[in-house]
Amino acid sequence: MDGESIVDDFRRYFSHTLYRDKLNQSAYYVYTSLSLSLRDRLVERWKSTKYAYNEQDCKRTYYLSLEFLMGRTLGNAMLNLDVEPSISGALTKLGLVLEEIIDQEHDAGLGNGGLGRLAACFLDSCATLQLPVKGYGLRYEYGLFNQKVENGYQVEEPDHWLRNGNPWEIERPEFSVRVKFGGKTEHYMDADGTKRAEWKYTKDIMAVPYDVPVPGYRNGTVNTLRLWKSMATKEFDLSEFNAGSYADAVAAKNAAEHITMVLYPNDVSENGKELRLRQQYFLASASLQDVLRHWMNKHGNDFSGFADKNFFQLNDTHPTCVVPELMRLLIDEHGMDWDAAWNITTRTVAYTNHTLMPEALERWSVSIFGRLLPRLSEIIFMINARFMAQVARRWPGDVERQRRMSIIEEGNEQYIRMAYLAVVASVSVNGVAELHSRLLTQHLFRDFYELWPEKFNNKTNGVTSRRWMVSSNPALSSLITRTLGDGWTTDMAKLKELAPYVDDASFRAEWQEIKQANKARMAELVHRDCGVVFDTNALFDVQVKRIHEYKRQLLNMLHVIHLYDRIKRGDTADWTPRCILIGGKAAPGYVMAKRIIKLVSAVGKVINGDPDTAGLLNLAFLPNYRVSAMEVICAGTDLSEQISTAGKEASGTGNMKFMMNGALTIGTLDGANIEIREEAGDENFFLFGLTTEEVDATRGHYDPGAIIAADEDLRRVMHLLESGHFNLFEPGIFNPIIQSIYSSGDPWLTAADFRSFVNAQQEVAKTYRDKERWTRMSIINTAASGKFSSDRTILDYNRDIWHLPQVAAKTM
Ligand code: 26V
């Protein structure tokens, strides 16, 4: 494990395994070689972890997710193995700079945003807590698109992240499984006179697993993330190729391999697409077959103890095919009767909901579903028939309630409501922040909550301190470690002990100095990627997240335009210089979100180009926001913008990353903001906006026209927008945005929150001018952020839902 021997291996990989030399010193191969030599060190621990789990025959949880937004791996592996300083030293002797090597790695962008990154943080925490948890996902050939900005508009480019190979994955063809599609069901009587079903005439596709190591923090544990790749079957090759046209056969084979080609962006227009359903079933079936194979190796066809030793956590409804597929495998393939199979299913499945937004609630048309997965469709109808009988027993004669609660939505076309299927089968249903979990029981799942109150619970999200503090903010982390010792990285509650240091002037000075250095690093990124110069003495005001109307990047822009207007009219007494950064991807089909990106770019161009704003105000749009960008941004941010319409953001997790790095939050009472404010104290949080209740009460009599007319600042902002000041050469392009603000049907109530937002921003500006006060508040935010560690979240999942033992890896 010493730096010298790792670097010895690195040289052998570079010159022999990869056949590179001094004439061919491509930096990418330097990265690959170093990664391979680290992977070797992980492999030993990986095996001993597996042996320990097997020997103890412990219960395991499988975290099923269509998304794992892992980001980069090399830096994290070095951190967790505790080898970074020695490797860095040994590389320097070879004239190599570690940071440059780390920068070669392409982000693994196999997720859209919060939901996918949460899965990655959870895996990190499970390994660190030595919990036997395995992730199951898909090995997309293309991750979330790369975002370019051309003339202010988003342009998507494919993210072919595997182009140069991936040193972190290990192909395991020996564990491939077969997944069925299409065909039809035949029912028959078996020799014992039992009715049985057989799913026949299917088109099968192979699922080939690729394993990625998930190291715990300096504890010898390495867990597994298993990602499935789709491949044509062998007989598919033979029959199709012998049938005639060679080229058609190759094309057909290609189609079979399309399933795991690309990650779906979370785009309403992509909802309901058949290929997405293929992905979902492919993940569910391959993962279940893998788990059942492992079980049968030890227990044969005896499933009596299965539910005590296996658990499936569904990351949103995306993997809900697990429910009918587990039933099918147990009944059709393993000869179990319905009740025994249902007993196992309902004891081993739990569902996490991540959104209340109606357009994200998954429904599959029965006709598509039945054609692609006929046997599963039958099973879902049987589950529903039994469930409807249960509802009828509980509420006799209440037909309306049966209609409301049915897993099958009736109408011109029938749809399967995946969230209801997940709730009916799950032993636990949770939301991701207190408010969100409460809203679930009051609205979306109200009827189900009445029927099964004991199923519903909250698990407030968290993020891993290893990636989001230690690795992304080494200077701050080392100050904290010098102050408190190093226990805080695995027990973030300890950060509370920082609180008394707010009164220590030299501690505050160090805290400030570190923030300044981190701001310089962030300013470099902004300069490189946006071409805008950020002055590190200004307030760094940041909103980075997916672009969505409910997240209200538009409200942020109204404030920016208001500041610009104040400068233009000379109202700059006691001015706090600000640099505003907005970043995030819009779903490719989300026209309004793309227009908002154009607005940010256009306003930024005017502001940054106006000599009057010099030293007072800057605005930049950061292209291609991703995990590795956030690693720089979260450490350099002063003010975190969490400004969604109350009741719309399930939790948020960026808000937590900013808080632990000492940013202050300006935010609404939404998602986890509420808990952030509770922990930090009201006086250390900039609150504004309507509450969820007020938002609901406003519907029906919202009059933005009156609000605008009554508010001179907002009137002036609207006038600037309407005059075409920011789009002189593209007249009219912002009209739909302007109309949305004026619309009494605006679901996001942008105008309603303008005044209180501007007032809160004034308070921010005033506070920032008092450097010592701001620094105290910053320290308190970090000190209060312990709750938002994903270690705490995972311990909650384990205590209430999974009940896994902690198992130390065997030392070899
Ligand atoms: C929906 C769709 C629909 C079309 C096909 C692709 C696709 C992919 C994902 C989604 C749902 C996304 C839901 C989501 O990301 N929710 C976020 O979850 C975070 C983690 O719990 C939470 O912090 C955010 O507030 C929540 O918006």
Side-chain angles (χ1 to χ4, degrees), residues 481-496:
T481 299
R482 268 181 282 131
T483 312
L484 305 179
D486 62 7
W488 67 274
T489 38
T490 50
D491 179 8
M492 278 187 63
K494 287 215 168 80
L495 288 175
K496 277 203 171 60

Side-chain angles (χ1 to χ4, degrees), residues 348 371 394 399 451:
T348 53
R371 201 167 1 93
R394 168 73 198 266
V399 182
L451 183 59

Side-chain angles (χ1 to χ4, degrees), residues 123-368:
L123 292 184
D124 180 275
S125 284
C126 290
T128 295
L129 293 163
Q130 305 196 298
L131 292 171
V133 173
K134 183 169 177 173
Y136 276 113
L138 296 181
R139 181 183 177 275
Y140 302 108
E141 207 79 38
Y142 293 86
L144 187 65
F145 64 86
N146 280 314
Q147 179 194 53
K148 291 260 163 66
V149 176
E150 286 174 12
N151 181 32
Y153 290 101
Q154 166 172 302
V155 175
E156 301 92 21
E157 285 185 354
D159 168 44
H160 196 189
W161 71 296
L162 293 168
R163 188 173 35 227
N164 301 318
N166 173 10
W168 298 105
E169 65 180 16
I170 296 185
E171 186 182 358
R172 311 301 300 273
E174 69 275 32
F175 298 126
S176 297
V177 298
R178 177 178 287 264
V179 178
K180 300 184 184 199
F181 287 98
K184 59 179 197 155
T185 313
E186 284 182 358
H187 293 270
Y188 64 98
M189 247 0 145
D190 72 5
D192 310 337
T194 320
K195 272 167 84 180
R196 303 228 155 267
E198 198 179 348
W199 184 6
K200 295 173 83 173
Y201 318 113
T202 51
K203 283 219 160 181
D204 299 356
I205 293 179
M206 297 308 292
V208 182
Y210 285 70
D211 287 353
V212 181
V214 181
Y217 183 70
R218 301 182 185 176
N219 63 5
T221 290
V222 177
N223 281 342
T224 301
L225 168 59
R226 179 159 281 187
L227 300 177
W228 300 101
K229 174 189 161 94
S230 59
M231 294 258 264
T233 57
K234 274 205 197 102
E235 71 276 6
F236 182 94
D237 288 10
L238 288 176
S239 62
E240 300 281 331
F241 277 75
N242 291 334
S245 164
Y246 177 75
D248 286 352
V250 174
K253 178 175 157 69
N254 246 329
E257 300 182 352
H258 270 162
I259 293 184
T260 56
M261 195 57 69
V262 57
L263 166 76
Y264 269 83
N266 67 15
D267 195 324
V268 210
S269 64
E270 301 283 359
N271 230 336
K273 295 271 175 78
E274 182 179 322
L275 181 59
R276 170 80 173 173
L277 180 58
R278 284 181 182 268
Q279 292 184 336
Q280 297 187 348
Y281 177 64
F282 186 74
L283 170 65
S285 181
S287 309
L288 282 173
Q289 291 186 58
D290 199 42
V291 172
L292 293 187
R293 177 189 48 72
H294 186 259
W295 176 262
M296 293 179 67
N297 281 342
K298 196 155 185 153
H299 304 90
N301 222 22
D302 175 8
F303 286 91
S304 55
F306 184 83
D308 298 321
K309 292 291 171 89
N310 296 282
F311 201 84
F312 303 98
Q313 186 71 43
L314 311 185
N315 199 21
D316 217 316
T317 51
H318 315 155
T320 300
C321 282
V322 154
V323 171
E325 176 67 356
L326 182 54
M327 291 296 285
R328 182 187 77 80
L329 290 168
L330 293 175
I331 296 169
D332 296 356
E333 313 266 322
H334 301 289
M336 206 172 277
D337 66 41
W338 180 279
D339 290 336
W342 187 243
N343 180 272
I344 288 182
T345 303
T346 53
R347 288 170 61 204
T348 53
V349 174
Y351 155 53
T352 304
N353 173 284
H354 292 269
T355 181
L356 285 158
M357 306 293 287
E359 69 267 26
L361 295 177
E362 291 193 299
R363 304 179 319 161
W364 290 106
S365 118
V366 167
S367 75
I368 294 184

Side-chain angles (χ1 to χ4, degrees), residues 67 112 114-115 118 264-267 271 276 316 318 354-355 432 461 550 649-653:
E67 306 189 9
N112 273 284
L115 168 147
L118 185 75
Y264 269 83
N266 67 15
D267 195 324
N271 230 336
R276 170 80 173 173
D316 217 316
H318 315 155
H354 292 269
T355 181
V432 291
N461 283 167
Y550 84 78
E649 188 70 272
S651 161
T653 44

